Amino acid sequence: MAPLSLFSVFVTFLLSLTPALSTNSEGNALHALRRRLSDPTNVLQSWDPTLVNPCTWFHVTCDSNNHVIRLDLGNSNVSGALGPELGELKHLQYLELYRNEIGGKIPEELGSLKNLVSMDLYENKFEGEIPKSLAKLKSLRFLRLNNNKLAGSIPRELTSLSNLKVFDVSNNNLCGTIPVDGPFATFPMERYLLPFSSLTLSSVNILPFYLHFMDY
Amino acid sequence: MVIGSSSTFEKVCSHISFVLIVLFVSSSTVASASESNEEANALVTWKASLQNEDQSQLSSWTLLPNNATNSSTNLNSSTRPCTWFGISCNPVGSVIKINLTHSSLKGSLHEFSFSSFINLEYVDLSKNSLFGTIPPQISNLSNLIYLNLSMNQFSGKIPPEIGLLTNLKVLRLGMNKLDGSIPQEIGQLRSLNVLDLQSNYLDDPIPPPLGNLTYIDLSQNSLSGAIPQEIGHLKSLVVLQLSVNQLNGSFPTSIGNLSQLEIFFVRDNQISGSIPQEVENLMKLTVFRVARNKLTGYLPQNICQNGLLQNFTANDNNLTGPIPKSLRNCTTLYRVRLDGNHLTGNMSEVFGIYPNLYYMNIANNKLYGELSPNWGRSSILTDLELGGNNISGTIPSEIGNITKLGVLDLSSNHLVGEIPKELGRLTSLVKLILSNNQLSGGIPSEVGSLTNLDYVDLSNNKLSKSIPGSVGSFSSLFYMNLSYNEFSQGVPIQVGKLVQLSVLDLSHNHLTGEIPMEFMNLQSLQTMNISHNNFSGITAFEKLYGLLDVNIAYNQFQGQIPNIKAFQDAPIEALEGNKGLCGEAVIILNCADSNNSHIWRTSQGLNHKATMSAANICTCGHHQIP
């Protein structure tokens, strides 16, 4: 094994002469994400930026043109924060980061993911406001931000998301009014709203703000 | 009188010599003062040409106010740049090193007076935002040994004058926007060891390399033509990285002469012909990566005879012939990709034991024979992809020993027998693909331990018995395809725990019973195909608002179609063959004596209706056909 480790030291040295990034911008964006996250169970071990693209990385799914369409890191024990680079994944359809310990703000750059179908950030430690830029996600069908520490109000702009079918922001520190326009009007889940749907809620976080479709 | 004049002469001589000595001394100090003054001036002039908003990195670069004097005693150290940020001098105070890597510099080199720096040996300006061309005056740096301008925005052509830097050992211009061809003159750099021009827009063929190169990286450019056969002369070459270009022609057989070569990395080009057998002679080769070219012919049969090969990837070529014999004992293998060729071989014979193997993909070839239990000895293997071959026999239980396995793909082979329960030991498994085989028996309930699974495809087999409830533990699962099997009994209620499931295909089985109400929890479901079973209980789908594509055809469903767009808009083929479904705008009856379903669309009137005899009318929820 000794020659093996000597070799890997040498190659590591040689490869350190080469910047670790390729011209694959999606691989670079994911590599940047990896540097922001703390990963104690090594779920990101397969994320090798010297490969031609990230399509063989675990928890990454590509389409036939080698563009990243899914990022599946739910239940992965990761912590840290997200950065603006995720907005570079222009073909992303599924952003699955649920049930982790990720904190910090939801980057507004996520609003550039115009192919996004599902954003699951639930059960993390996200704080700050729900970015208005999420209203640009015209393909979004699933938006689950419940069980975080999000504050502020639900951006009224989200009522323009005409494809939104499943929406959950329960168990946060949100305040303000619940929208009733656009998809929020046609959500048949209105009957699950607590009976103050058109009232301004208290900004003090005594009452948990429930707006969800079902009792899991 | 003569004596008097000679002593005067001596006096004059000694005066003159004294003056000359003083002048000489002062001129030499003046010269060194003005030399460092010239270098300091050049640096300050260049700094003034930069565009930085943030000047703090170079704040030490100033000439202190100085009454212009050339007094020999004025050895004012403020004119020396030797203590300035990024600057190093030799013992007499002349600049030998400029290291300004990652210093937020923004500007060009056009105002840089190269001729002022006769002693400069080392220049590192990498990782900045410098732009413009590389001036040909750079050739004035006649003592230059190390030049690193990588990771900037330099554009235009590499000046051929670089070939005059005869002492240059390291030339790094990678990750810029340089275009045009690599100048032939770079071949004149007899001292050059490291040539790194990667990630630019360089084109035209690679000029014949000369000199004493140990490291060549020309990857990620638009270089064309064939690899020059002169490359075989580089007796000291250790790394050859030419990946991602438009190189064509064949590999020169002279590469067999590269006795020091450890890394041969030429993926993503258009190289044709076969891999020279001479590659077997490379006694130090550890990395051989030639994926995605147009290679034909056989792999060199003794490729690992040096016993050092670690990374061997030749996927997506047109290679034929057998898996090299030498791979059987190639215990150093770490990453192997031979997928997407036409390679043959008997699986039980061509592979041995690989304790260091991390990734193995030989999918889509013509391999046959059986899976050896030896795969279980690859204890660090994370990815095993053997799909699309002609592999027969059973899945050995020893597969369960590969406990770090993340992806197991044995699809599209001729595997028979049962799924071994030992598969439950693969607790790191993320993807399990066993589709398109002839596997039989049930899904062992031990699979419940595979809590990291997010993708399961067991379709197109002969699997039977019930779906075990332990599948409910796949909490991250987004895709489950069990279609085209012989599964029986009902869907376990634990399926309702798969809250992230996006695609569910249970079609073409013998599943029966009511869909459990727990199905309502599958809030992420978008595509659901449960056709060709014996299911009933349509109300379980009522709250699945995320659904986009449904197919419930050929079951026992009856009653009101859920008020969800996916059902309301479903084509007849997705609803037919049931007991009797109806809804707001559609009535579909499957009447006893006919295989066809009859559709009425009430408000849209899209489809014509077939006439029905009164005896065949079915009741359907609230809507009774008059």
Side-chain angles (χ1 to χ4, degrees):
Chain A
M1 213 52 101
L4 214 61
S5 56
L6 269 178
F7 166 71
S8 45
V9 165
F10 179 56
V11 166
T12 311
F13 164 69
L14 282 177
L15 290 177
S16 71
L17 299 176
T18 314
L21 306 175
S22 72
T23 50
N24 184 290
S25 65
E26 297 185 2
N28 292 345
L30 292 173
H31 185 63
L33 174 66
R34 183 180 185 186
R35 290 206 302 263
R36 290 185 193 274
L37 295 178
S38 180
D39 175 26
T41 54
N42 254 329
V43 298
L44 304 179
Q45 187 176 43
S46 62
W47 286 26
D48 176 358
T50 69
L51 298 178
V52 63
N53 56 46
C55 300
T56 55
W57 299 3
F58 292 169
H59 311 290
V60 175
T61 306
C62 292
D63 62 14
S64 53
N65 292 322
N66 292 325
H67 289 303
V68 177
I69 54 170
R70 292 194 68 110
L71 180 57
D72 287 285
L73 289 176
N75 287 319
S76 295
N77 279 29
V78 292
S79 56
L82 304 182
E85 314 82 19
L86 280 177
E88 297 294 312
L89 300 172
K90 296 291 179 210
H91 302 260
L92 194 66
Q93 297 173 17
Y94 294 85
L95 181 61
E96 307 298 319
L97 303 176
Y98 57 89
R99 279 203 216 107
N100 285 296
E101 308 271 320
I102 306 173
K105 294 191 173 10
I106 300 175
E108 55 167 21
E109 287 80 3
L110 294 186
S112 337
L113 301 174
K114 52 185 171 49
N115 290 305
L116 203 67
V117 166
S118 167
M119 180 185 296
D120 284 326
L121 305 182
Y122 63 87
E123 292 183 47
N124 273 289
K125 297 183 159 42
F126 285 107
E127 50 186 28
E129 303 208 346
I130 300 172
K132 293 194 187 29
S133 60
L134 299 190
K136 297 192 291 181
L137 300 174
K138 295 303 175 203
S139 304
L140 203 62
R141 297 174 68 81
F142 302 90
L143 180 58
R144 287 177 283 213
L145 307 176
N146 51 295
N147 295 78
N148 278 291
K149 298 183 202 293
L150 298 167
S153 54
I154 303 175
R156 191 135 303 270
E157 291 83 347
L158 295 186
T159 55
S160 69
L161 294 175
S162 52
N163 284 312
L164 196 59
K165 300 292 181 201
V166 176
F167 180 73
D168 192 337
V169 294
S170 60
N171 288 301
N172 278 289
N173 293 332
L174 297 168
C175 58
T177 53
I178 302 168
V180 292
D181 304 323
F184 293 81
T186 60
F187 285 153
M189 292 300 113
E190 274 173 274
R191 59 183 170 276
Y192 289 90
L193 289 174
L194 294 174
F196 42 82
S197 56
S198 56
L199 293 176
T200 306
L201 297 175
S202 163
S203 58
V204 178
N205 312 320
I206 296 171
L207 294 171
F209 174 22
Y210 282 103
L211 170 63
H212 66 129
F213 297 125
M214 46 167 304
D215 303 320
Y216 282 19
Chain B
M1 277 66 63
V2 170
I3 297 168
S5 56
S6 65
S7 68
T8 311
F9 176 69
E10 278 168 6
K11 266 198 196 143
V12 167
C13 273
S14 60
H15 276 303
I16 289 172
S17 17
F18 174 71
V19 168
L20 282 172
I21 288 166
V22 167
L23 275 175
F24 173 74
V25 167
S26 63
S27 73
S28 66
T29 54
V30 163
S32 60
S34 66
E35 195 176 82
S36 55
N37 213 354
E38 182 184 346
E39 290 176 341
N41 277 332
L43 291 173
V44 165
T45 305
W46 180 58
K47 173 186 170 179
S49 76
L50 298 177
Q51 289 178 9
N52 288 33
E53 292 106 34
D54 166 21
Q55 296 278 11
S56 62
Q57 295 277 29
L58 303 185
S59 57
S60 50
W61 289 28
T62 58
L63 302 169
L64 291 182
N66 184 11
N67 305 350
T69 168
N70 286 334
S71 159
S72 61
T73 58
N74 186 12
L75 296 173
N76 191 341
S77 63
S78 67
T79 61
R80 288 189 195 280
C82 302
T83 55
W84 291 1
F85 174 81
I87 305 296
S88 308
C89 294
N90 64 11
V92 299
S94 176
V95 177
I96 52 166
K97 181 167 169 169
I98 299 177
N99 185 354
L100 295 172
T101 183
H102 201 41
S103 300
S104 312
L105 301 180
K106 190 168 176 180
S108 76
L109 290 177
H110 298 145
E111 303 296 315
F112 191 94
S113 169
F114 291 97
S115 53
S116 305
F117 294 93
I118 51 176
N119 294 312
L120 196 50
E121 293 173 359
Y122 183 107
V123 171
D124 186 349
L125 301 176
S126 61
K127 298 188 190 162
N128 286 296
S129 305
L130 298 169
F131 54 84
T133 56
I134 301 173
Q137 290 79 17
I138 201 162
S139 59
N140 285 324
L141 301 178
S142 47
N143 283 310
L144 200 62
I145 297 173
Y146 178 100
L147 177 61
N148 186 350
L149 302 180
S150 61
M151 295 177 81
N152 278 291
Q153 320 271 333
F154 286 113
S155 57
K157 300 190 181 349
I158 301 173
E161 287 81 0
I162 272 202
L164 298 171
L165 297 172
T166 49
N167 290 311
L168 200 61
K169 286 194 176 155
V170 175
L171 177 59
R172 293 166 62 71
L173 304 178
M175 300 188 85
N176 279 291
K177 297 183 175 9
L178 300 166
D179 60 33
S181 49
I182 301 173
Q184 303 266 349
E185 288 79 358
I186 283 197
Q188 292 164 13
L189 295 172
R190 301 243 156 236
S191 305
L192 197 65
N193 296 139
V194 172
L195 178 62
D196 177 1
L197 306 178
Q198 60 139 319
S199 302
N200 279 290
Y201 301 106
L202 300 169
D203 54 28
D204 286 345
I206 302 171
L210 301 168
N212 200 20
L213 287 159
T214 57
Y215 181 101
I216 296 177
D217 185 352
L218 307 178
S219 62
Q220 299 190 124
N221 280 290
S222 304
L223 298 169
S224 57
I227 299 171
Q229 60 91 16
E230 285 87 349
I231 205 130
H233 298 152
L234 300 176
K235 295 281 176 266
S236 307
L237 193 65
V238 176
V239 174
L240 181 62
Q241 162 58 301
L242 302 176
S243 300
V244 194
N245 277 292
Q246 277 128 47
L247 300 171
N248 56 25
S250 304
F251 287 128
T253 53
S254 59
I255 58 178
N257 295 335
L258 299 172
S259 54
Q260 301 301 310
L261 194 69
E262 297 183 21
I263 296 179
F264 185 86
F265 199 171
V266 192
R267 62 165 167 83
D268 292 289
N269 279 286
Q270 281 131 46
I271 300 181
S272 55
S274 37
I275 300 170
Q277 199 175 352
E278 285 80 353
V279 165
E280 293 170 0
N281 301 336
L282 299 175
M283 281 301 116
K284 298 209 171 167
L285 192 67
T286 57
V287 173
F288 187 78
R289 294 173 75 168
V290 294
R292 290 176 296 273
N293 278 287
K294 308 230 178 303
L295 298 166
T296 53
Y298 287 17
L299 288 167
Q301 292 297 297
N302 284 315
I303 180 107
C304 187
Q305 68 179 348
N306 67 0
L308 295 177
L309 193 62
Q310 296 192 358
N311 195 328
F312 181 40
T313 61
N315 51 295
D316 298 302
N317 279 290
N318 245 317
L319 298 166
T320 53
I323 300 279
K325 290 196 224 3
S326 61
L327 288 193
R328 196 182 152 86
N329 290 335
C330 195
T331 54
T332 46
L333 284 175
Y334 171 80
R335 183 179 163 92
V336 175
R337 281 199 73 169
L338 299 174
D339 47 294
N341 283 293
H342 311 285
L343 300 167
T344 72
N346 186 333
M347 286 294 298
S348 337
E349 291 171 12
V350 299
F351 294 112
I353 297 173
Y354 305 106
N356 298 306
L357 193 60
Y358 180 79
Y359 181 104
M360 164 65 93
N361 186 343
I362 43 174
N364 298 315
N365 277 290
K366 297 188 175 6
L367 296 164
Y368 54 92
E370 305 197 352
L371 291 174
S372 161
N374 285 332
W375 289 108
R377 311 263 293 262
S378 295
S379 49
I380 60 165
L381 190 59
T382 59
D383 201 314
L384 180 60
E385 300 189 42
L386 309 177
N389 280 289
N390 292 322
I391 302 171
S392 55
T394 60
I395 302 174
S397 59
E398 286 82 358
I399 290 269
N401 293 338
I402 317 175
T403 49
K404 301 251 172 31
L405 205 58
V407 172
L408 178 62
D409 185 347
L410 305 176
S411 62
S412 302
N413 278 293
H414 305 300
L415 295 168
V416 297
E418 304 207 349
I419 300 173
K421 60 178 175 6
E422 288 81 2
L423 224 67
R425 301 181 53 213
L426 303 177
T427 51
S428 303
L429 207 61
V430 172
K431 277 191 177 19
L432 176 62
I433 307 172
L434 302 177
S435 48
N436 289 307
N437 280 290
Q438 286 123 50
L439 298 168
S440 56
I443 300 174
S445 65
E446 285 83 352
V447 298
S449 323
L450 307 181
T451 55
N452 288 309
L453 268 182
D454 65 25
Y455 187 104
V456 170
D457 187 352
L458 306 179
S459 61
N460 284 289
N461 276 291
K462 298 188 183 345
L463 297 167
S464 58
K465 306 200 184 126
S466 62
I467 300 171
S470 54
V471 300
S473 66
F474 304 155
S475 49
S476 308
L477 199 70
F478 70 83
Y479 179 98
M480 181 154 77
N481 187 351
L482 305 180
S483 64
Y484 288 94
N485 275 291
E486 294 158 22
F487 289 114
S488 57
Q489 299 178 55
V491 173
I493 57 171
Q494 291 92 332
V495 166
K497 290 162 68 177
L498 304 176
V499 294
Q500 289 295 132
L501 196 62
S502 182
V503 174
L504 175 64
D505 191 343
L506 301 176
S507 64
H508 295 271
N509 277 289
H510 308 311
L511 297 163
T512 59
E514 293 234 336
I515 301 287
M517 290 312 271
E518 282 81 0
F519 247 60
M520 284 199 281
N521 297 340
L522 301 180
Q523 285 290 295
S524 304
L525 209 52
Q526 286 191 79
T527 302
M528 181 179 75
N529 184 352
I530 54 172
S531 64
H532 296 271
N533 280 291
N534 266 318
F535 286 127
S536 54
I538 199 159
T539 51
F541 307 130
E542 246 159 43
K543 301 215 175 31
L544 300 181
Y545 300 103
L547 275 174
L548 205 50
D549 277 301
V550 292
N551 188 345
I552 60 169
Y554 296 99
N555 277 288
Q556 301 291 322
F557 289 113
Q558 63 179 16
Q560 189 101 0
I561 295 174
N563 188 14
I564 296 174
K565 202 162 188 293
F567 277 99
Q568 299 293 328
D569 292 355
I572 174 64
E573 293 81 16
L575 300 171
E576 67 187 357
N578 279 292
K579 261 182 140 173
L581 297 171
C582 49
E584 292 290 317
V586 58
I587 299 172
I588 302 164
L589 301 181
N590 193 36
C591 296
D593 68 343
S594 157
N595 282 331
N596 297 321
S597 295
H598 302 272
I599 313 158
W600 288 258
R601 289 203 187 261
T602 54
S603 47
Q604 288 118 9
L606 282 172
N607 295 344
H608 67 281
K609 65 171 176 60
T611 46
M612 299 271 303
S613 69
N616 290 329
I617 287 176
C618 320
T619 58
C620 183
H622 310 298
H623 301 269
Q624 191 136 6
I625 311 296

